[in-house]
Amino acid sequence: MTAALRIDNVTVSYGAICAVRDAALTVAPGEAVAVIGSNGAGKSSLLRGVMNLASRTGRITFQGQQLESLRPHVIRRAGIGYVPEGRELFPNLTVQEELTLGARMIPRADRPQMLEQVFGLFPRLRERAKQVTRTLSGGEQQMVAIARVLMGKPTLLLLDEPSLGLAPVIQDVVFAALDQLRTAERLSMLLVEQNAYRALALCSRAYVLETGTITREDSCETLRNDPAIRSAYLGH
Amino acid sequence: MLIQQLINGVLASGIYALFAVGFTMIFGIMGVLNMAHADFGMVAAVAIIWCVGAGVAPLPAVVVAAVVMLLIALIVERTALRPGRRYSGDAAVEMPLIASIGAGMILQNGAAVIFGNKALVFPLRLRGFFHVGDYLVSQGLALSLVVSAVLLAGLEVLVSHTGFGRQVRAVAQNRNAAEIMGINTERIILLAFAISALLAGVAGCLVGVSYGLVAPYMSIPYAIKGLVAMIVGGVGSLPGAVIGALLIGLAEALTVNWLGSQLRDVGVFAVLMLVLAIRPAGIFRLAAVR
């Protein structure tokens, strides 16, 4: 079976600084995979490398298609939805406008249904539809960041620290939505998350990234029960 | 006399607004000042003179001039502005600024070499006046104001109420985010640049229509007034650029009335300094096209 995403020997660098070295990972269709690691381990750089937002070498294929020479907007149109760290919303656009922008790549006739689906996932956004995004709370902004990507019906979702800066109760909402996408929609996901507890609970398989190098790959259940992982990333 | 000058000021502000909106649109989207912007107006105007002089009928001449001006504008974008987008920080701002000053000089001096450093008679001029009560209204400037108002209203509809406009605003607010949302940001920037160049082209032609003469170096005062209007209105704000243009048109007219035409620019810069003192970010405090 062709992997949804395959990364081989990928190195991501910023000038002379190497953020990720010779990384290799796969995400199977419908699979949710986590990358856990401490702050500065290179998790965000790995996703930026996939999206061609940072200089990288190596081989990246999405559903068999090579991505190395493609610009970010082409990668998005190929079916990879990217929710960046810090959300990267358009501060003066309304929620409705953000969602409409996200829906540009699906047929016009499908958009109302998709909008209902997204509002079903994040009911709060229906109430906030006319509000400009800079006036939303952090949690609502995170919902917009995920929802606008979903509007384009991606086949693979790249999520960079979706729990960052959110209160636990809002994290529950966001991760419940992601869990629904994983189970009901069978959406492939690559989740990069400092909150290892959340990541290992959501995904089936995970990679551990330490100072730019992938040091381990295993099922989330195994990692959750591993004393070294528990001590380093789960706080007990 | 005062009311007559105020009428003149309002009429003149239409051309200033077209230049100012182009400046602010490019700054809002690309984050750079295109100092060759007003020169596109000169290029369009002299291209019409050249075409009509070569025996082309006025309407086809306008079309040919628009195509020539757009081609030149796209060359300027590709050679003077686009390279700066590979950099970040100060270099991304300074490099296109200096390069576009150079591009403007090439266009001005190129036109002077081809057509001579002299005023050229614009073939499509409207030099008559009509009366509104006791006051005289220049037909050319009245037409300029109407054309400007229609174009700027159309631009407002385009930017605020269409899918293309939504993409323009997205690129202006966060280029990286726009790219990862599947927007071809280079294409949007190029289209927005072409629209701004067309506005400058129309403005340059309206100068010819209103005053009857154009010249290779005519763009310099219009560039200054366009920039002042942009800053007064708030950099990146389309409505701000229009309000800024109206203010400097009125200031210019009032200065002419009170101090004489030799000092007409004093009022323009007085408005600039006053606004910067009270609202340093301009009347509409924005940094991105909305």
Side-chain angles (χ1 to χ4, degrees):
Chain A
M1 185 166 54
T2 308
L5 180 72
R6 174 179 291 279
I7 294 174
D8 289 314
N9 299 322
V10 165
T11 294
V12 182
S13 48
Y14 302 97
I17 299 166
C18 181
V20 177
R21 186 176 292 106
D22 286 334
L25 64 78
T26 58
V27 180
E31 187 185 25
V33 174
V35 177
I36 59 171
S38 56
N39 198 17
K43 304 185 300 298
S44 297
S45 296
L46 182 66
L47 296 193
R48 290 176 61 80
V50 173
M51 291 303 292
N52 198 8
L53 293 167
S55 170
R56 80 276 209 256
T57 60
R59 188 181 165 91
I60 303 170
T61 53
F62 170 63
Q63 295 176 334
Q65 180 188 6
Q66 283 187 240
L67 301 183
E68 290 96 75
S69 59
L70 302 182
R71 284 181 49 202
H73 74 272
V74 183
I75 295 173
R76 173 67 195 91
R77 286 175 165 270
I80 299 182
Y82 172 50
V83 182
E85 183 182 355
R87 294 128 202 175
E88 299 261 6
L89 299 181
F90 306 108
N92 294 327
L93 294 194
T94 64
V95 171
Q96 181 88 42
E97 286 179 317
E98 292 262 8
L99 299 180
T100 308
L101 261 185
R104 283 172 47 259
M105 57 212 56
I106 63 170
R108 202 172 283 270
D110 294 350
R111 294 177 193 175
Q113 186 198 346
M114 202 61 218
L115 191 63
E116 281 308 308
Q117 207 172 323
V118 160
F119 282 154
L121 209 55
F122 300 114
R124 188 85 65 90
L125 297 186
R126 192 192 297 274
E127 302 160 25
R128 301 280 188 260
K130 304 285 181 206
Q131 211 168 314
V132 290
T133 58
R134 69 171 187 276
T135 64
L136 300 177
S137 69
E140 289 165 345
Q141 289 186 358
Q142 187 65 65
M143 291 174 201
V144 174
I146 296 171
R148 70 176 184 180
V149 167
L150 294 176
M151 288 296 294
K153 286 191 178 171
T155 46
L156 170 68
L157 202 54
L158 306 182
L159 295 142
D160 193 351
E161 305 272 10
S163 73
L164 192 72
L166 303 186
V169 63
I170 304 296
Q171 289 182 21
D172 288 343
V173 174
V174 169
F175 275 82
L178 295 177
D179 192 43
Q180 192 178 331
L181 291 168
R182 184 182 65 84
T183 53
E185 306 293 327
R186 300 273 302 144
L187 186 58
S188 310
M189 288 183 204
L190 180 60
L191 169 69
V192 150
E193 183 58 73
Q194 208 178 139
N195 186 336
Y197 174 81
R198 294 271 185 195
L200 296 177
L202 179 76
C203 299
S204 55
R205 200 157 56 81
Y207 294 83
V208 179
L209 190 64
E210 291 174 348
T211 57
T213 305
I214 290 178
T215 55
R216 188 166 172 191
E217 178 217 343
D218 221 321
S219 74
C220 288
E221 193 180 350
T222 306
L223 292 173
R224 267 197 308 270
N225 295 320
D226 185 300
I229 297 293
R230 292 171 73 95
S231 163
Y233 299 109
L234 299 175
H236 53 88
Chain B
M1 186 65 179
L2 176 66
I3 292 175
Q4 178 66 60
Q5 288 299 350
L6 290 176
I7 291 170
N8 294 346
V10 172
L11 293 174
S13 66
I15 291 173
Y16 299 156
L18 284 181
F19 281 119
V21 163
F23 272 119
T24 213
M25 196 165 157
I26 291 308
F27 190 87
I29 293 167
M30 299 166 75
V32 297
L33 273 181
N34 172 25
M35 296 305 288
H37 177 67
D39 294 301
F40 299 151
M42 177 274 294
V43 168
V46 296
I48 286 179
I49 292 172
W50 180 74
C51 285
V52 171
V56 180
L59 194 60
V62 169
V63 175
V64 171
V67 171
V68 168
M69 188 273 302
L70 270 179
L71 283 175
I72 289 175
L74 295 181
I75 290 169
V76 169
E77 195 279 332
R78 183 61 68 104
T79 56
L81 303 182
R82 187 175 294 194
R85 292 206 286 279
R86 289 200 294 265
Y87 300 92
S88 58
D90 291 344
V93 177
E94 289 163 4
M95 200 171 131
L97 177 74
I98 303 299
S100 64
I101 290 173
M105 285 179 171
I106 290 170
L107 294 178
Q108 291 162 22
N109 294 334
V113 167
I114 295 168
F115 298 98
N117 184 13
K118 61 186 181 200
L120 307 163
V121 175
F122 195 72
L124 312 174
R125 56 195 179 278
L126 263 180
R127 302 184 69 180
F129 291 84
F130 59 87
H131 284 87
V132 176
D134 293 336
Y135 306 104
L136 277 178
V137 175
S138 153
Q139 289 178 358
L141 283 175
L143 178 70
S144 297
L145 188 65
V146 170
V147 170
S148 302
V150 169
L151 286 178
L152 295 176
L155 184 69
E156 173 64 17
V157 170
L158 183 73
V159 170
S160 299
H161 302 289
T162 67
F164 171 72
R166 209 177 293 121
Q167 291 180 61
V168 168
R169 285 181 288 143
V171 173
Q173 290 172 39
N174 190 335
R175 200 182 304 167
N176 256 350
E179 188 75 28
I180 61 173
M181 287 300 292
I183 296 172
N184 185 345
T185 54
E186 286 296 332
R187 183 172 152 271
I188 294 295
I189 287 172
L190 201 62
L191 287 172
F193 190 84
I195 290 170
S196 81
L198 277 173
L199 292 179
V202 171
C205 294
L206 290 175
V207 171
V209 169
S210 304
Y211 300 108
L213 296 169
V214 296
Y217 298 101
M218 68 180 251
S219 51
I220 296 170
Y222 287 101
I224 291 170
K225 281 167 191 162
L227 284 169
V228 170
M230 172 184 77
I231 295 166
V232 165
V235 175
S237 166
L238 298 182
V242 175
I243 298 294
L246 185 62
L247 280 178
I248 67 162
L250 289 171
E252 189 181 46
L254 290 173
T255 315
V256 168
N257 187 57
W258 291 327
L259 302 175
S261 60
Q262 295 290 321
L263 296 171
R264 63 194 311 144
D265 289 343
V266 169
V268 172
F269 288 101
V271 168
L272 174 67
M273 285 186 275
L274 187 68
V275 170
L276 287 180
I278 299 168
R279 288 175 78 89
I283 295 168
F284 290 71
R285 296 160 187 243
L286 277 177
V289 169
R290 61 163 190 84

